[in-house]
């Protein structure tokens, strides 16, 4: 298997004792207020420190930990990172217990980070970064920034990238313990940043390497049940995928790798004439597959999928008319500039019949980061939460939408123009079963206050606004994805 330079990530850090002591001291006064989301976090991280309840009441029964991951190193000296996806990963931990929230943030301790911090330079090639030819790359893990998402598995917290191994972290201190090896013969095998968990805790995930896709089947206790392979015929860019209770669905967008030199994403070409292809794989027998064809769409993220009684598969995703955040993606924002381009995606339901082509049923909700109730993962459901809204003159979402597929209507809560809203997760209420019996929890940066906040909504009344908001004394950088642990 070609594990080569499936590069992603880089970035840097410029820090100092003053920064470590005062996380807000690194704010650059000439930058727009939203730039706080793209500023390098202190090398020592954040906290643990209390967040303050600034609105509402802490919901009774809400107890657990929100973990999130994202790039946090955007500068070395005077040099800016050249792609948003290439910043060193920092895991944020917000523990909520007895109505109180406590935040901790720590960088993932990677080889890339160690070498770039020592040199105070960006060196590693990445997803959108050419890199320095002198940087030693023997495997993709040499450039692995561990910066996209997190997974709790078998009591371990894993920091995930898409082209390399998962990093093991202490779930309380966030100390990095090394790479995760799922099985001795799988050492170094990529572990995608978008694993899928069945309601009973079983996890499925992909290992991407060109046209060859590995498939992990992980037991609820974190042990590896099986690993298999499928061939998707061409090296589509695969950041996410989805599954029903019985089928894996690999969405092959027509963004195809035609060369393999840094930056990684620069080797992909958009070939819309090929349309979107769906590979549907039987979970019980990975050799049983079928293909379906759909119109061309680009995407980063799915919600989830389910299968009707007649075998029709329905999946929702944030689909774009063409690729976004390719080479150079986010470089302007890292420099505090915004060219005025807001997301062009639409929350869409793809309907894949047992025979014939897939159809796309579009909503008018523009946005990304779709999420569903984890109790309904792979099963029929009504709700999808998604970040939407835009504000003139600055990047990022400003609202939370909850689409009800049964009514075709969406509820939207607008946070206000001073907010940059991040992914929100469904958290089931104790001893309940309905999707509406959930809290929807996520983070947002209050650009006016220059502080990060955690917002909690009741899924039964999203339009009424949050039931509780906790605010930190500082802002941490915008991130990508999170997970919730009841511990
Ligand atoms: Fe993602």
């Amino acid at each position: 298997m070609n594990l080569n330079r499936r590069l992603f990530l880089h970035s840097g850090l410029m820090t100092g004792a003053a920064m470590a002591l005062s996380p807000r001291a690194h704010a650059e006064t000439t930058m727009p207020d939203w730039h706080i989301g793209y500023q390098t976090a202190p090398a020592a991280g954040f906290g643990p420190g209390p967040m303050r309840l600034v609105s509402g009441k802490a919901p009774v029964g809400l107890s657990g930990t929100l973990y999130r991951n994202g790039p946090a190193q955007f500068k070395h000296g005077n040099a800016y990172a050249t792609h948003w996806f290439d910043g060193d990963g920092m895991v944020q931990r917000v523990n909520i217990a007895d109505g109180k929230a406590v935040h901790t943030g720590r960088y993932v301790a990677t080889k890339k980070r160690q070498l770039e911090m020592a040199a105070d330079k960006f060196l590693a090639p990445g997803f959108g970064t050419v890199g320095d030819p002198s940087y030693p790359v023997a495997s993709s893990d040499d450039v692995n920034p561990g910066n996209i998402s997190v997974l709790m598995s078998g009591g371990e917290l894993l920091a995930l990238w898409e082209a390399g191994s998962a990093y093991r972290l202490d779930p309380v201190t966030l100390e990095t313990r090394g790479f995760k090896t799922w099985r001795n013969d799988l050492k170094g095998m990529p572990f995608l940043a978008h694993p899928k968990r069945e309601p009973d805790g079983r996890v499925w995930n992909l290992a991407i390497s060109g046209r060859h896709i590995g498939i992990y089947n992980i037991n609820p206790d974190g042990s590896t049940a099986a690993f298999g392979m499928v061939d998707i015929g061409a090296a589509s860019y695969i950041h996410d995928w989805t599954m029903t209770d019985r089928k894996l669905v690999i969405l092959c967008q027509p963004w195809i790798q035609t060369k393999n030199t840094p930056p990684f994403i620069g080797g992909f070409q958009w070939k819309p004439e090929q349309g979107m292809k769906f590979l549907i794989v039987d979970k019980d027998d990975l050799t049983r597959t079928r293909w379906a064809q759909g119109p061309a769409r680009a995407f980063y993220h799915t919600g989830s999928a389910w299968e009707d009684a007649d075998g029709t598969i329905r999946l929702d995703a944030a689909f774009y008319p063409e690729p976004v955040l390719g080479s150079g993606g986010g470089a302007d924002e890292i420099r505090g500039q915004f060219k005025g381009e807001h997301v062009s995606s639409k929350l869409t339901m793809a309907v894949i019949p047992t025979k014939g082509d897939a159809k796309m049923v579009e909503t008018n909700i523009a946005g990304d980061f779709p999420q569903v109730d984890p109790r309904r993962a792979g099963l029929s459901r009504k709700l999808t939460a998604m970040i939407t809204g835009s504000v003139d003159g600055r990047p990022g979402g400003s609202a939370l939408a909850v689409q009800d597929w049964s009514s075709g209507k969406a509820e939207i809560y607008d946070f206000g123009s001073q907010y940059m809203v991040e992914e929100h997760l469904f958290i089931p209420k104790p001893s309940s079963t309905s999707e509406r019996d959930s809290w929807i929890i996520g983070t947002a940066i209050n650009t006016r206050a220059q502080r990060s906040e955690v917002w909690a909504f009741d899924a039964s009344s999203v339009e009424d606004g949050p039931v509780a908001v906790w605010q930190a004394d500082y802002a941490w950088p915008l991130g990508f994805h999170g997970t919730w642990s009841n511990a």
Side-chain angles (χ1 to χ4, degrees), residues 108-122:
V108 182
T110 69
K111 175 181 176 181
K112 167 189 178 301
R113 178 166 178 77
Q114 181 185 18
L115 293 174
E116 293 185 344
M117 288 295 288
D120 195 18
K121 285 182 181 174
F122 294 107

Side-chain angles (χ1 to χ4, degrees), residues 369 387-388 394 396-400 415-416 419-424 443-445 478:
F369 298 106
I387 303 311
T388 185
R394 50 140 263 215
S398 57
L400 171 67
F415 283 52
Y419 279 97
M420 300 174 83
V421 184
E422 302 183 276
E423 178 187 84
H424 276 53
T443 47
I445 295 180
L478 291 170

Side-chain angles (χ1 to χ4, degrees), residues 13 17 38 50 119 155 169 178 213 230 247 272 315 388 414 422:
L13 157 56
Y38 299 88
L169 270 57
I213 308 290
V230 295
K247 305 279 174 48
L315 68 91
T388 185
D414 185 352
E422 302 183 276

Side-chain angles (χ1 to χ4, degrees), residues 83 85 127 237 253 255 265 270 298-300 318-330 341-345 368:
H83 201 290
F85 294 177
F127 177 87
Y237 176 59
Q253 60 187 323
W255 197 9
I265 202 62
W270 179 240
F299 83 108
Y300 282 102
F319 282 140
Y320 296 75
E322 57 189 20
V324 296
L325 289 168
S327 291
E341 292 180 16
H342 289 294
V343 293
S344 54
S345 57
D368 211 317

Side-chain angles (χ1 to χ4, degrees), residues 148 194 239 301 481:
I148 299 178
H194 284 283
H239 176 79
H301 301 120
H481 303 291

